[in-house]
Amino acid sequence: MAFRLIFALAIKEFLALLRDKRSRFVIIVPPIVQLLIFSFAATYDINNVPVAIYNEDGGEAARELVSRIEGSPNFQVIAYIDRDSDVAPLIDNREVLLVLHIGQRFSASLIQGTSAPLQAILDGRNSNTAMIAMNYLRSIVLDYNRSWLAAQGKGGSQVSLQTRAWYNENLQSRWFIVPGIVALLTLVVTLLVTALSVAREREEGTFDQLLVTPLRPLEILIGKAIPGIVIGLLEATLIIVLMVILFDIPLRGSIGALYLGIVLFLLSAVGVGLMISAIAATQQQAVLGAFLFLVPAVILSGFSTPIANMPQLVQWLTYLNPLRYFLIIVRGVALEGNSYALLVHQYWPMVVIASITLALAGWLFRRRMF
Amino acid sequence: MSSLITMRLWGMMRKESLQILRDPSSIAIAFVMPVVLLFLFGYGVSLDAKHIPIGIVIEQPDTATQSLAGAFERSEFFRPLHFDAIQSAQQALDERKIEGIVWLRNNFSASLLAGHEAPIGVIINGVDSNQANITQGYIQGTWLAWLEHYAASRGQPLAMPVNLQQRVWFNAALSSQLFLVPGLIAIIMTLIGSLLTAMVVAREWERGTMEALMVTPLRKSELLVGKLAPYFVLGMGGMLFSVALAVWQFGVPLRGSFWLLLVSSALFMLVALAIGLLISIVSKNQFMAGQLAIIVTFLPAFILSGFLFDINSMPGWTQVITYLVPARYFVAIVQTLFLAGDVWPVLLTNMAALFIMLLFFFSLVWRKFRKRLD
């Protein structure tokens, strides 16, 4: 194999990539925009849930409960109502997400020692927000119960849950989303760079010139793959650095294990990108092809919603997706402090995927040539 | 004179429609893409966790611990695995085989009987914070139900004096599908309206066929109407198709008025078309148009519209940005129309906002679109 020639081709690819305004745009602008938008806006954390209090009970016990809601950072009481008919407009108009209804006999029941009902009415239009707001409310009520019992001299609740979260101790969704963006952007950039490379030469007619050089098809393929891998590595490194410095996300595991994952992932992505490039006749088709691969790959990867929640059939489909494995590696190394041993089952499927896609790309490449 | 204008306009619209019909990729984007996206999102994106694998560590089995473990086994939310020691459960958590651990120490039942504190240790994998919150809520719910039952069966005083009851309106089962699918219609319409129009019109600039149109006697207004009308029809077709899929395939109830949905969709479609046209005028080539359309319309519609992420919980400056995203208003409209019904205050304010955006973008298009070559 002519390494000198491959090297020369790779250099030429880099120059072509960096000189072309469109390619520069693709490498630089979308990643930055996406990193910022996703990192700041994509959050499942819920705070300042707008709440209305409907307190029909004038007793001390009810006031104590209301003040606990008012003091919670998760809730923001924006209305106090005193009629049943006020509930529906507040929820219908999305002014509040939750109405807490304290019945007339609340304090009296508590003092008598019978069950004191407390009703929460939630807007279920956003099911996730509703569920989490309900969880917050339940924790407040649980605390309230415990201190009520303690105050009554009943020695506190006998059983309690002591919950700890591992790896993401404060349960911040940014810790989950930002490492995912490392994987996402690495995929997007690598895929576009490689998918456009052959298509651009075909469109501009320079591909024929490349064919009459002494380079063999396999060598052309390798020369085309190198820029994608190098740019992917640089982009991944940059985002990992930003992740640690800008977003204060730890990197607890082995860096070597992370980079082994990055290289395997890049090989799979380059394989897919070159396949698209070999099939596409124009840059337009290449971009469309990349988009057609990217959208399902991102959705079926566990990037924003868990794979375990998908139907079984769809879950099987995700095994074909290199992003699935790489996401586990990035999060595993960053948050869970993983090293090589715990990630073996993520490495080998990517080796298989990379071998198949690269081989297919080589085959397609040779077929499209004649 | 007026018949001449109608004739010219009619001819232009006929030409545009023929162009769409002959180019299978436009039809594909309008009808195949909604199907693919709706199925991908409808089935692939779910926030409803069921059968979560958790580890239950019982250091000393007896009736109390068995009944608590039984509560977890009967719950549809969990798939419990039993461990004898906390170490092996923690290892399983490290290996991602389980999502959480419920740990009953060996003095659990003794303390419970003696009336001392009997703490239950819960460890959750917090990497996916949202799922962790949900899992934690389910564990708490299961435990509370068990506690109530346990206290009652032993004739003890009520463990929980205040009894919290929840009533969820509009989506009683809290199914994330009912919440996501209506919003998805907004995403699909953004893609059809902005991406498709931006790319196709940019192609005309690139190929020079736009110049050919400019030398015809068509006026600017006729040119614009003629260009947009066929895409409007195509987009509304895609919208109706998505609504049909949402109702019949995914079982999302349409509680509001269909006609209101149609009117507000038409309004949103026009805004999306205007943005698409503006992008094509600014970029004038397909590649830039496609990239710009994704960055300016698709990504904000996905992330900043309230379709998936709650707007109230975003940082303040991000919330301000969301007011510039047309999809924000339309997502609020469709979520309300589908799940809640005809809630006029929500519908009117959001439709008014869309109307203002429509005027704004069309006046921009009017100013930027010149019937001459630069």
Side-chain angles (χ1 to χ4, degrees), chain A residues 6-19 197 200-201 206 210 224 227:
Chain A
I6 295 177
F7 184 67
L9 178 62
I11 298 266
K12 176 229 145 222
E13 286 296 319
F14 269 116
L15 288 178
L17 206 59
L18 295 178
R19 244 189 347 223
S197 68
R200 184 179 52 230
E201 299 228 21
T206 50
L210 203 59
K224 291 269 175 200

Side-chain angles (χ1 to χ4, degrees), chain B residues 65-325:
Chain B
T65 60
Q66 288 311 331
S67 83
L68 182 52
F72 280 100
E73 262 151 31
R74 279 188 301 277
S75 163
E76 58 167 347
F77 298 120
F78 298 108
R79 186 163 54 80
L81 300 168
H82 289 273
F83 294 92
D84 293 329
I86 186 70
Q87 287 80 11
S88 48
Q90 287 178 348
Q91 199 186 343
L93 191 68
D94 274 335
E95 289 166 0
R96 285 177 282 269
K97 287 183 181 141
I98 52 177
E99 289 295 315
I101 300 173
V102 176
W103 178 19
L104 306 177
R105 294 180 182 80
N106 59 17
N107 59 354
F108 176 76
S109 297
S111 308
L112 198 61
L113 283 175
H116 298 309
E117 278 275 318
I120 299 173
V122 173
I123 303 173
I124 288 179
N125 180 344
V127 170
D128 184 343
S129 55
N130 191 52
Q131 286 300 303
N133 268 322
I134 292 171
T135 308
Q136 199 178 322
Y138 287 153
I139 290 180
Q140 207 172 57
T142 310
W143 166 72
L144 277 177
W146 171 79
L147 201 61
E148 200 98 354
H149 182 75
Y150 185 79
S153 71
R154 301 175 61 87
Q156 283 179 347
L158 218 54
M160 292 297 134
V162 177
N163 181 12
L164 182 63
Q165 300 155 346
Q166 68 177 54
R167 263 174 55 204
V168 182
W169 286 9
F170 314 131
N171 183 357
L174 284 176
S175 138
S176 65
Q177 217 172 47
L178 295 191
F179 143 59
L180 291 172
V181 169
L184 203 50
I185 295 176
I187 307 279
I188 290 171
M189 287 180 63
T190 305
L191 276 175
I192 298 178
S194 300
L195 188 65
L196 183 67
T197 318
M199 300 267 282
V200 176
V201 181
R203 188 168 65 192
E204 298 223 12
W205 290 105
E206 218 173 61
R207 287 184 181 166
T209 47
M210 201 57 122
E211 295 171 18
L213 277 178
M214 283 182 179
V215 296
T216 61
L218 281 166
R219 289 190 204 145
K220 191 157 119 179
S221 55
E222 291 167 352
L223 205 59
L224 283 178
V225 172
K227 262 255 117 21
L228 290 185
Y231 289 101
F232 179 77
V233 173
L234 196 67
M236 290 306 280
M239 189 281 294
L240 287 175
F241 191 53
S242 308
V243 171
L245 274 177
V247 172
W248 285 306
Q249 176 68 33
F250 292 102
V252 183
L254 178 55
R255 301 199 172 109
S257 141
F258 173 75
W259 298 108
L260 270 175
L261 181 64
L262 205 64
V263 170
S264 51
S265 304
L267 199 56
F268 179 66
M269 195 70 217
L270 286 174
V271 178
L273 286 173
I275 296 176
L277 197 58
L278 198 63
I279 289 174
S280 80
I281 294 171
V282 173
S283 58
K284 297 217 167 142
N285 76 61
Q286 290 183 69
F287 183 81
M288 281 292 284
Q291 289 288 322
L292 269 180
I294 289 175
I295 293 178
V296 178
T297 63
F298 175 68
L299 281 180
F302 199 93
I303 299 164
L304 299 174
S305 68
F307 151 68
L308 183 60
F309 302 106
D310 187 50
I311 293 178
N312 277 324
S313 304
M314 294 175 189
W317 59 271
T318 323
Q319 287 192 33
V320 174
I321 296 176
T322 63
Y323 286 105
L324 304 175
V325 178

Side-chain angles (χ1 to χ4, degrees), chain A residues 52-173:
Chain A
I53 305 268
Y54 176 18
N55 185 359
E56 289 188 297
D57 180 292
E60 181 61 35
R63 260 206 302 283
E64 156 76 10
L65 182 65
V66 170
S67 74
R68 280 179 187 241
I69 307 275
E70 287 166 338
S72 159
N74 301 119
F75 294 111
Q76 195 183 2
V77 180
I78 64 156
Y80 297 88
I81 55 177
D82 45 23
R83 274 197 311 265
D84 253 352
S85 56
D86 287 344
V87 176
L90 278 174
I91 292 208
D92 283 350
N93 300 344
R94 298 197 135 175
E95 282 168 45
V96 300
L97 186 91
L98 190 159
V99 175
L100 191 69
H101 181 193
I102 305 174
Q104 280 171 6
R105 297 202 33 79
F106 181 81
S107 295
S109 309
L110 263 182
I111 290 164
Q112 283 169 15
T114 53
S115 175
L118 178 68
Q119 196 180 47
I121 301 152
L122 291 119
D123 176 357
R125 266 170 279 188
N126 183 332
S127 58
N128 196 54
T129 312
M131 190 182 298
I132 289 170
M134 189 64 203
N135 284 350
Y136 289 147
L137 183 64
R138 197 185 285 145
S139 294
I140 291 178
V141 171
L142 209 61
D143 271 349
Y144 178 82
N145 275 331
R146 192 165 300 144
S147 51
W148 172 265
L149 286 172
Q152 298 294 305
K154 288 183 183 154
S157 171
Q158 293 172 332
V159 195
S160 60
L161 281 187
Q162 295 175 336
T163 307
R164 271 181 306 152
W166 277 16
Y167 314 128
N168 178 0
E169 290 75 7
N170 297 319
L171 292 179
Q172 304 173 57
S173 63

